[in-house]
Amino acid sequence: MKALIVDDNPSVIAILTEILKIDGHEVFQATNWEDAKRALETDRPDIMFLDSIVNQTSTIPFIDELDESINTRIVLILNGREQVPKDTSLIVRSIKKPFNSAEVLEAVKYVGGGCTVQGQAPAEAKRSRKFKFWIFGKDGSASEERTVSDDAVQQGKSYVVFEDVPEKIYELARKFPQQAGDLMIITGERKKVIETKIDDEHCRILQVSRGTRSSYADVRALGTIMAEVMEFINFQPKPVIIIDDLGMLISNNDLNSVITFIYQIYKGASNKFTLAVSVKESLLTEKDKLLLHRYMETYKPDEEESKETT
């Protein structure tokens, strides 16, 4: 199926694109109404995911410009308590932010089935797709930095390690007593290098790189990486996720997208988990660090803290 996404938020476009492409659909994008109209004419999509507000302007009036005989069905993305207009047959579904992948795919299924209600999939079959994709605005609140040392490390809490080279992050990872298969490492390193740092033959190593290297995930595909992380969290008893170089994600995407990616994991996971990241402190502003500390504590080994206080 051909799908057109119309939104001015790059994070929303990226997430929807990932969801739809993973499900096998051809995706087109537009960030304003004029480009959307051209795409409707040239690409003839079957479904259009249209944000109700694009570039601070309601898109509802623009729908009246469309000929209702076109084959494209509209799924309206709502930002709050807006009501779906009843005077057009083009809008067949709506989803609200924060939306989840199941809602997106159900809308696609609805349009693909001729806009008739389809049978519901068994609950167990849908379990792996029950995670939310949250979109954060520019006014995200933050908390004060909290610091923990070796003795205070706990399962189910999350940590940031400020370091130039990923070393202490692996010291931290080894402090969590793991059942087989509960540890995931997201890294750009070779597996053999990681295996020298973590003595766990059941560790899930998710390698990322820019490009199409065999067995590596695309570091720019944050939605795909997030889907794998969510799947891991939701199906492991005591999941621990380690990102050994957050700077790699930042340099290949952008800081706002990476922070949004982290928040989406926190907001979407249905199981208790630990997330620990290593990052160069110089890459982050004070505001960025405060945003991370909304959910994470700073990890510093005891000996490091003692050096600071002497």
Side-chain angles (χ1 to χ4, degrees), residues 24 61 68 70 89 129 151 159 185 204 223 230 236 253 291:
E68 293 208 2
I70 65 172
S89 62
R129 289 182 173 175
D151 294 338
Y159 304 94
I185 307 288
R204 166 83 166 93
M230 290 295 193
Q236 298 303 321
N253 298 278
L291 286 170

Side-chain angles (χ1 to χ4, degrees), residues 159-221:
Y159 304 94
V160 56
V161 183
F162 295 115
E163 56 183 346
D164 291 341
V165 179
E167 292 178 351
K168 298 183 183 69
I169 189 69
Y170 285 102
E171 294 177 14
L172 177 62
R174 290 191 290 268
K175 293 183 182 297
F176 295 102
Q178 292 300 303
Q179 300 180 35
D182 278 351
L183 179 62
M184 169 185 273
I185 307 288
I186 300 174
T187 182
E189 285 280 7
R190 291 178 295 115
K191 283 189 176 182
K192 288 185 178 180
V193 174
I194 302 305
E195 288 168 356
T196 65
K197 299 175 182 289
I198 294 292
D199 185 19
D200 182 354
E201 63 180 3
H202 300 289
C203 173
R204 166 83 166 93
I205 301 175
L206 177 58
Q207 296 172 281
V208 296
S209 71
R210 188 181 181 94
T212 57
R213 293 175 63 182
S214 176
S215 77
Y216 281 67
D218 190 340
V219 70
R220 297 163 295 181

Side-chain angles (χ1 to χ4, degrees), residues 24-188:
H25 304 289
E26 186 176 2
V27 180
F28 306 94
Q29 304 168 354
T31 57
N32 58 68
W33 186 246
E34 291 304 315
D35 287 347
K37 287 196 295 184
R38 281 193 287 271
L40 287 170
E41 294 174 1
T42 59
D43 301 315
R44 300 184 180 278
D46 304 290
I47 186 171
M48 174 167 62
F49 287 89
L50 174 65
D51 201 319
S52 61
I53 299 176
V54 174
N55 297 318
Q56 300 182 335
T57 302
S58 172
T59 58
I60 304 302
F62 296 131
I63 297 175
D64 293 335
E65 299 178 17
L66 303 178
D67 186 339
E68 293 208 2
S69 66
I70 65 172
N71 293 323
T72 304
R73 304 296 95 179
I74 297 175
V75 177
L76 196 64
I77 304 173
L78 304 177
N79 294 274
R81 297 182 178 179
E82 305 139 301
Q83 298 296 315
V84 179
K86 304 294 185 182
D87 56 351
T88 174
S89 62
L90 294 178
I91 302 175
V92 297
R93 278 287 178 96
S94 65
I95 56 177
K96 287 186 178 182
K97 296 177 183 178
F99 53 80
N100 60 49
S101 61
E103 291 173 299
V104 173
L105 297 177
E106 282 295 330
V108 173
K109 182 179 178 182
Y110 181 70
V111 172
C115 297
T116 58
V117 177
Q118 305 294 308
Q120 295 294 317
E124 183 62 27
K126 294 173 67 177
R127 182 182 172 194
S128 64
R129 289 182 173 175
K130 281 188 174 180
F131 52 90
K132 290 188 175 181
F133 292 87
W134 288 69
I135 310 303
F136 285 81
K138 297 179 180 179
D139 59 346
S141 58
S143 61
E144 294 182 0
E145 176 179 351
R146 294 159 293 165
T147 303
V148 297
S149 58
D150 292 347
D151 294 338
V153 169
Q154 296 180 33
Q155 189 97 30
K157 290 191 174 182
S158 293
Y159 304 94
V160 56
V161 183
F162 295 115
E163 56 183 346
D164 291 341
V165 179
E167 292 178 351
K168 298 183 183 69
I169 189 69
Y170 285 102
E171 294 177 14
L172 177 62
R174 290 191 290 268
K175 293 183 182 297
F176 295 102
Q178 292 300 303
Q179 300 180 35
D182 278 351
L183 179 62
M184 169 185 273
I185 307 288
I186 300 174
T187 182

